[in-house]
Amino acid sequence: MSKERAQRRAERERLAAIEATARAAEQERKARRDARVATLTRWVPKGRGRPTGVIAARNRTRTRMVVVSVIALNVLVWVASGDWAVRLLALALSVLIAPILLILMTS
């Protein structure tokens, strides 16, 4: 009986040693990967967060309104007009005028 227990214990210890070796190898791979990532991300500049506050929210809302208006206007021109030249002209003008409109609205 004690011989069987010793064999089972030896088998458990062998399996535990195999698992410990696998865990150690995985931890070593993770440490090397983390070191590579840290080396590479050191060169990348940190991004700034999105502006917060009442003025920033107002500007975002204003920008969304202009974008939605430009899209709605283009859809309206697209549906109302059958001429491709008018459609493309409206699209080109909206792309050119929308930034100017945003600048005028914020000043």
Side-chain angles (χ1 to χ4, degrees):
M1 184 81 171
S2 66
K3 209 182 246 189
E4 289 176 17
R5 269 190 280 170
Q7 286 176 346
R8 285 193 303 244
R9 186 185 61 204
E11 182 65 24
R12 281 194 310 268
E13 288 174 356
R14 186 180 67 81
L15 290 175
I18 291 172
E19 288 177 7
T21 305
R23 273 195 306 271
E26 182 64 32
Q27 287 175 349
E28 185 180 341
R29 280 192 298 272
K30 187 178 182 312
R32 282 185 302 201
R33 181 184 178 280
D34 290 344
R36 277 193 312 267
V37 168
T39 302
L40 291 175
T41 57
R42 189 175 28 172
W43 296 97
V44 178
K46 302 282 188 270
R48 294 187 331 206
R50 190 167 114 177
T52 59
V54 176
I55 296 173
R58 192 177 305 147
N59 287 338
R60 283 192 300 272
T61 303
R62 194 174 291 142
T63 303
R64 283 187 201 116
M65 286 175 35
V66 169
V67 168
V68 168
S69 300
V70 167
I71 290 172
L73 179 67
N74 279 306
V75 168
L76 182 67
V77 168
W78 193 273
V79 170
S81 174
D83 189 17
W84 279 96
V86 174
R87 291 175 178 174
L88 292 177
L89 180 65
L91 181 64
L93 285 176
S94 65
V95 167
L96 292 173
I97 293 176
I100 297 170
L101 185 63
L102 280 171
I103 290 170
L104 291 175
M105 288 178 70
T106 57
S107 56

